[in-house]
Amino acid sequence: MIRLLLSTTMLAGLAAPALAQAAPPAPAATPAAEPPAEEEVDVSAPGGGNDEIVVVGTRIPNTIRASREVVSVLSAADIARTGEGDIAGALKRVTGLSVVGGRFVYVRGLGERYSLALLNGLPIPSPDPLRRVVPLDLFPTSVLASSVVQKSYSVNFPGEFGGGVINLTTRAVPKDPFFNVGGSIGANSATTGQLGYVYAGGTKDWTGFDDGTRNLPQGLRASQDSGRALAVGGNFNLRQLQDITADLANAATNVIFRNENIPVNWSVNMSGGRAFDVGDARLGFVFAAGFSNDWQTKAGKQQLSGGATGTGANAALLADQDFNFAATEFRSVLNGLFSVGAEFGDHKLRFVNVYVNDTIKEARIQSGFDDINVGRDVLLQRNATAQFRRQLIDTQLVGEFKWDNLTLDVRGTYANSKRLAPYERFNNYAFSAQFNDFVNDLRSPGQSSLVSFSRLNEDVYGAGLDLGYKIRGGPFPIRLAAGYAFSKAERLSERFDYRYQSNAALPGAVTQQRPDFLLSDFNVYTYGIILNTISTVAPRYEADLTVNAGYGQVELEPADGVQVVLGVRYESGKQRVVPQDVFNANPGSAFNTPTNINQDYWLPAATLTWNFAEDMQFRFSASKTVARPQFRELAPQPYFDTDSDRLSFGNQFLENSELINIEGRYEWYFGRDERLAVGAFYKDIDKPIDAIAFVQGGTFQNTFANAPNARLYGAEIEAQKYFDLSSWGGLFETRRFFVSANYTYTDSQIRVKAGDTTRFPLSGQVVPATDIFRTGSLPLTGQSDHVANLQFGFQDDAGLSEQTILFNYASNRVAFRGPSGQPDLVEKPGIRLDVVIRQGFKIFGKEIEAKLEGRNLTNTRYQEFQRLNASRVDTNTYVLGRSFQASLSAKF
């Protein structure tokens, strides 16, 4: 019997206390955190808070209101109330935002390619080779002061702005010294104490680091570097191939065990900071560190339809591949932040360093049939093991200076991300009636053993300068701003795939052996088992993107209560992806065509804010922006996507998308921290990039293509209200009841007409767009028509005591276009119910915070499926379970 194990650790909840923070550097057009009630911040200034606003009438101090643009703010207090351990989880509470896969934030249903993430106003790289944007679950809430989402474009941001920009702000110089330590323990109803699957790996796997077990063998590295494929004859003789094959780590990466009692989840964290007065300057530092281990077992269905039978209302999908699966993931996360800063007069300096290591170790078992490749009457068992390590190092230096009417902000960053995935093992067995057992002869359909090695390295450099000058004494206030920004990303990515093969037929007894025995040194040398390089497209590619930009902006108030922001950004972008046919397997093929996108843009933006009543205002904005293909969307290198359990590759013939954005919004601020906002938005996207799926050789694969055009429109409403309960007396004397709700409706449609064309991946062939995109109502992938959030509960104004209930709902959304004219693959996020209870108390004079969390109390499953009439095929459906966590932190 073949067994498999997989493990994942989720980022543990690291609740951070609310601290007063410095405003983020340019080009962040929003403040770091919700300011105190008596303070107002000019969030539209490039310096993010260095200038005052002009007060008209009685303004209620509110960061969202003070912004010149449409923003949503999550302060440290807001984040703590959600109880989420990472910023991706906290952001799904923001109006119009949904989180896909627990990691990637979609703004108003637009895919993550249309959402820009910044750290302190500076670019950050992604360690995920499938995406250029960073997975936001990498950032624990303990290292962040606030998160600001700006949905209307202003020219001090990068022009690659579709749905919105998410600016994460780290902690800065603290007002008061602090030191916190904490920890948590958690369980999941579908995982903890239940049956799961594991494999040995290395002795240090629990730390998220490898002990050398998975190091790339020297023979394989020499083959990759020299461009000599592993194959008998020519490059290597049989003995050399056997030596290379025998050099691979075997049992530690191949054997899956049952674990009848999966452990609990746990985390530890600490943070601290202090400030010192040195003459007229204030110097300070902040540090934070955390470590967590988390487990998750997924069990469910993975099916694949080869097409439909019948016609019209009688048409039905058939599951030509039908597998039950179970997978256990173990996730280990180590994170740290160290920041030093100085404040002297109105000037500020910050030096910020962030480190994150996020490792997933997984094992997977599938059991079912494959009618496409093997036959419906043969039971198959597929096993897989892997470790995926993501690492991010980010260093930033930011200076904010102010002299009377003049401001100067300078910033620079270097960041490096890595992704290492050595020893992705795949072992496939078929049931044999002859032997009454599962067998793997390494050559028959459904019987094989494969191993893959992949790695990615990306460096990001960024710098910028912003100048602001306020003209006083004229007929009305005017503020001028101008700036320059530079960014460069350089990536090297490799993936090499190998198949085990034998020179002659293996004895029946050998084919029945478990993977480590089957691929043992004895069998390698006795039966001539060798590794053979699979001739894949572009096993290595290099990529880079260089952007130079300059902007000018004017802010003016031509009449009382009327503010106008006008600006234009010039952006020059050069993007290059060069596939490398390392083994010369496809000479002269279109597969090797490099991508060179060299385009310049003028990107105007305008925002009008009209304060037409004491506590009400209206905003209108219009802008032009761009969306560039991501590196992985351009690289034809195959890649196994663990989120969807599918093979994916890029399309080197993709083009940039251009967007026209229009938005209107009414806002009413009727009390402290209370508001009602209603808005509408419209976007027209030329040549949007969409995810498509197809079946080739019985394998379900994902890729991308430019659709001709898409339009998107919608509306959103948000409200926040507090109710004073002091009149109730007793327990409620210092308490408030709060309600916060938001809802976003979005309708999107890809528009395809006769004569429209697109370029198919790999071959580059120009084909009718209707061959890939159906005509009629076709929503953008990843876009939910309805996204809603509801929070309500109690707060104690006299001390820390919060009880919060949180609902989150997102309607069905298209995950991928269906292959060969089949129905689209649809994801059903459904309804989630969470409960968070926070309580503060003192022990021996020390402040203690206790937190209890219940997540996904509705026990909502993950569902991805195809539906045609009454038939349904579950392409990827599994149980998530209910999660519970208790944490404790102390302030010293």
Side-chain angles (χ1 to χ4, degrees):
M1 175 71 85
I2 312 301
R3 300 186 175 94
L4 163 75
L5 158 72
L6 160 62
S7 72
T8 176
T9 93
M10 305 298 294
L11 279 168
L14 307 176
L19 298 173
Q21 303 298 329
T30 44
E34 187 81 17
E38 70 278 4
E39 180 184 354
E40 288 195 4
V41 180
D42 181 359
V43 293
S44 68
N50 291 329
D51 297 301
E52 71 274 10
I53 66 172
V54 176
V55 177
V56 179
T58 304
R59 284 181 177 262
I60 299 172
N62 187 291
T63 301
I64 299 175
R65 179 176 187 171
S67 170
R68 305 287 199 267
E69 307 295 339
V70 178
V71 302
S72 296
V73 177
L74 275 180
S75 68
D78 296 328
I79 294 171
R81 186 183 305 126
T82 69
E84 300 284 357
D86 61 78
I87 196 62
L91 281 172
K92 69 185 177 185
R93 314 296 176 184
V94 174
T95 308
L97 268 63
S98 55
V99 177
V100 178
R103 305 162 62 195
F104 301 101
V105 176
Y106 284 21
V107 181
R108 290 170 171 165
L110 287 165
E112 46 88 11
R113 74 169 55 81
Y114 298 107
S115 301
L116 174 67
L118 303 173
L119 183 65
N120 295 321
L122 288 160
I124 46 179
S126 173
D128 192 322
L130 274 181
R131 297 166 174 90
R132 183 167 46 81
V133 296
V134 68
L136 293 181
D137 64 334
L138 282 177
F139 292 95
T141 54
S142 62
V143 306
L144 299 176
S146 70
S147 175
V148 177
V149 181
Q150 181 169 318
K151 301 172 187 175
S152 62
Y153 178 63
S154 56
V155 297
N156 55 337
F157 278 116
E160 198 164 348
F161 184 109
V165 61
I166 300 165
N167 186 40
L168 310 178
T169 305
T170 57
R171 298 184 178 188
V173 178
K175 283 189 175 181
D176 301 306
F178 70 96
F179 178 66
N180 302 328
V181 295
S184 69
I185 187 169
N188 178 275
S189 61
T191 303
T192 310
Q194 305 296 318
L195 170 66
Y197 299 93
V198 297
Y199 74 97
T203 57
K204 297 181 180 179
D205 284 359
W206 69 276
T207 67
F209 297 88
D210 186 58
D211 62 359
T213 298
R214 298 178 179 86
N215 287 349
L216 183 66
Q218 184 176 355
L220 284 185
R221 170 53 66 192
S223 166
Q224 296 168 8
D225 291 343
S226 64
R228 298 188 300 156
L230 299 185
V232 176
N235 295 328
F236 302 92
N237 60 41
L238 177 60
R239 179 66 186 199
Q240 289 173 324
L241 291 173
Q242 289 173 314
D243 290 342
I244 293 174
T245 305
D247 198 27
L248 268 66
N250 188 8
T253 62
N254 251 327
V255 183
I256 297 170
F257 303 93
R258 293 169 59 95
N259 185 328
E260 302 287 350
N261 189 7
I262 294 295
V264 298
N265 305 324
W266 61 272
S267 72
V268 292
N269 62 86
M270 62 186 298
S271 61
R274 188 177 180 87
F276 309 88
D277 291 321
V278 181
D280 293 334
R282 184 169 179 82
L283 308 179
F285 68 89
V286 172
F287 70 88
F291 180 72
S292 64
N293 277 182
D294 226 337
W295 297 83
Q296 183 179 16
T297 296
K298 305 172 183 177
K301 279 275 190 184
Q302 290 179 333
Q303 299 176 319
L304 173 63
S305 173
T309 62
T311 58
N314 296 320
L317 295 172
L318 293 179
D320 293 315
Q321 291 184 1
D322 190 353
F323 288 89
N324 294 316
F325 83 98
T328 302
E329 298 180 354
F330 171 71
R331 185 175 184 184
S332 178
V333 179
L334 173 67
N335 63 78
L337 173 142
F338 181 72
S339 174
V340 294
E343 299 177 356
F344 44 100
D346 293 326
H347 310 311
K348 301 175 183 179
L349 288 173
R350 281 197 294 174
F351 180 56
V352 181
N353 299 272
V354 176
Y355 175 81
V356 180
N357 187 83
D358 183 348
T359 302
I360 292 178
K361 178 182 177 183
E362 70 170 0
R364 183 188 309 112
I365 298 176
Q366 294 175 300
S367 180
F369 66 83
D370 180 356
D371 193 32
I372 299 175
N373 297 300
V374 182
R376 195 174 294 270
D377 58 342
V378 178
L379 182 62
L380 303 177
Q381 184 158 305
R382 298 173 173 173
N383 308 317
T385 61
Q387 184 192 64
F388 305 94
R389 179 185 167 207
R390 305 179 294 171
Q391 177 183 278
L392 174 64
I393 300 173
D394 198 346
T395 297
Q396 301 180 343
L397 180 62
V398 178
E400 304 170 34
F401 307 95
K402 179 181 179 183
W403 302 273
D404 295 326
N405 299 326
L406 177 67
T407 61
L408 170 65
D409 295 331
V410 294
R411 58 195 181 276
T413 183
Y414 166 73
N416 172 265
S417 68
K418 287 183 170 63
R419 183 184 187 275
L420 303 175
Y423 284 96
E424 288 184 69
R425 292 279 195 176
F426 305 91
N427 292 291
N428 304 313
Y429 285 69
F431 187 80
S432 169
Q434 177 184 356
F435 298 106
N436 195 32
D437 197 2
F438 286 94
V439 299
N440 180 4
D441 63 9
L442 304 180
R443 53 173 56 189
S444 298
Q447 302 178 42
S448 61
S449 289
L450 305 96
V451 62
S452 298
F453 297 83
S454 61
R455 62 176 181 170
L456 172 144
N457 185 84
E458 182 170 330
D459 295 305
V460 171
Y461 308 87
L465 178 149
D466 294 88
L467 281 169
Y469 185 76
K470 178 161 288 189
I471 301 175
R472 303 180 186 271
F476 48 79
I478 299 176
R479 187 181 188 281
L480 304 177
Y484 166 77
F486 165 82
S487 66
K488 184 178 180 66
E490 299 177 324
R491 173 179 288 193
L492 175 65
S493 179
E494 296 181 337
R495 179 181 175 87
F496 294 92
D497 299 281
Y498 302 93
R499 182 188 300 273
Y500 286 88
Q501 293 185 337
S502 61
N503 286 336
L506 297 176
V510 174
T511 65
Q512 299 174 60
Q513 294 176 347
R514 69 188 198 190
D516 60 326
F517 290 166
L518 174 66
L519 305 177
S520 64
D521 294 359
F522 176 83
N523 285 347
V524 166
Y525 289 108
T526 302
Y527 301 108
I529 297 177
I530 60 171
L531 279 180
N532 187 26
T533 300
I534 300 176
S535 297
T536 57
V537 177
R540 179 186 292 129
Y541 73 86
E542 294 180 349
D544 58 72
L545 171 63
T546 302
V547 177
N548 286 279
Y551 76 89
Q553 181 173 278
V554 58
E555 302 176 19
L556 46 92
E557 191 160 350
D560 287 348
V562 178
Q563 298 172 349
V564 179
V565 180
L566 301 171
V568 64
R569 184 182 186 90
Y570 173 77
E571 194 163 282
S572 173
K574 297 181 179 180
Q575 189 170 13
R576 183 179 65 100
V577 176
V578 182
Q580 297 181 12
D581 189 4
V582 175
F583 302 116
N584 198 30
N586 303 285
S589 170
F591 300 164
N592 303 320
T593 303
T595 299
N596 284 287
I597 302 176
N598 186 356
Q599 288 187 281
D600 301 339
Y601 296 96
W602 288 97
L603 304 173
T607 301
L608 168 68
T609 303
W610 178 27
N611 188 191
F612 62 89
E614 181 175 324
D615 301 321
M616 299 181 186
Q617 61 188 23
F618 174 77
R619 302 181 195 269
F620 176 82
S621 65
S623 63
K624 178 182 177 181
T625 56
V626 298
R628 297 182 177 93
Q630 302 162 24
F631 287 145
R632 264 305 296 141
E633 293 175 338
L634 289 168
Q637 181 185 93
Y639 172 75
F640 187 76
D641 182 358
T642 56
D643 290 334
S644 61
D645 290 328
R646 297 191 190 99
L647 196 67
S648 178
F649 61 89
N651 177 358
Q652 67 268 49
F653 304 100
L654 293 177
E655 301 177 63
N656 291 351
S657 306
E658 298 183 27
L659 298 88
I660 300 297
N661 314 285
I662 300 174
E663 177 155 358
R665 183 179 173 94
Y666 161 79
E667 299 168 356
W668 177 26
Y669 298 88
F670 50 86
R672 181 172 66 91
D673 297 329
E674 298 179 331
R675 64 183 180 270
L676 171 67
V678 180
F681 52 89
Y682 172 85
K683 296 179 183 293
D684 183 271
I685 309 175
D686 183 49
K687 297 181 180 177
I689 299 170
D690 215 35
I692 60 175
F694 64 96
V695 177
Q696 181 172 306
T699 301
F700 199 104
Q701 303 183 37
N702 301 328
T703 189
F704 310 91
N706 284 106
N709 181 267
R711 66 100 182 97
L712 177 145
Y713 65 86
E716 61 187 24
I717 181 171
E718 62 176 303
Q720 185 167 297
K721 173 67 178 174
Y722 286 84
F723 300 89
D724 188 354
L725 304 179
S726 58
S727 61
W728 292 16
L731 177 67
F732 297 97
E733 187 172 357
T734 58
R735 289 183 178 269
R736 293 192 299 169
F737 181 80
F738 72 91
V739 178
S740 177
N742 59 69
Y743 166 74
T744 302
Y745 169 76
T746 308
D747 183 274
S748 68
Q749 183 176 349
I750 291 178
R751 297 186 284 190
V752 184
K753 64 180 184 298
D756 287 336
T757 61
T758 190
R759 300 190 72 177
F760 198 76
L762 300 183
S763 68
Q765 180 182 1
V766 177
V767 298
T770 52
D771 288 356
I772 298 177
F773 304 99
R774 300 193 314 272
T775 57
S777 179
L778 192 64
L780 288 165
T781 54
Q783 182 258 312
S784 292
D785 288 350
H786 308 278
V787 176
N789 292 283
L790 172 64
Q791 299 181 42
F792 61 89
F794 296 93
Q795 288 183 345
D796 193 332
D797 290 337
L800 176 59
S801 180
E802 295 181 347
Q803 302 80 38
T804 308
I805 295 176
L806 308 98
F807 286 92
N808 173 254
Y809 169 75
S811 62
N812 291 4
R813 55 196 175 212
V814 175
F816 298 95
R817 298 291 167 221
S820 304
Q822 294 184 32
D824 291 335
L825 281 68
V826 175
E827 180 186 353
K828 182 180 181 180
I831 298 176
R832 302 289 181 94
L833 169 64
D834 300 338
V835 175
V836 179
I837 300 173
R838 301 172 66 218
Q839 183 66 47
F841 53 91
K842 287 189 176 182
I843 298 181
F844 302 116
K846 304 299 180 183
E847 294 185 26
I848 308 296
E849 177 186 338
K851 182 170 63 175
L852 299 176
E853 304 170 56
R855 303 289 182 183
N856 193 29
L857 299 183
T858 51
N859 200 24
T860 301
R861 297 181 299 160
Y862 178 85
Q863 298 183 65
E864 182 195 88
F865 56 86
Q866 291 175 281
R867 190 186 297 277
L868 178 62
N869 296 327
S871 63
R872 168 170 160 156
V873 169
D874 285 283
T875 51
N876 197 19
T877 299
Y878 52 84
V879 175
L880 291 170
R882 300 179 176 91
S883 295
F884 303 90
Q885 180 171 282
S887 59
L888 204 65
S889 63
K891 299 181 181 180
F892 295 90

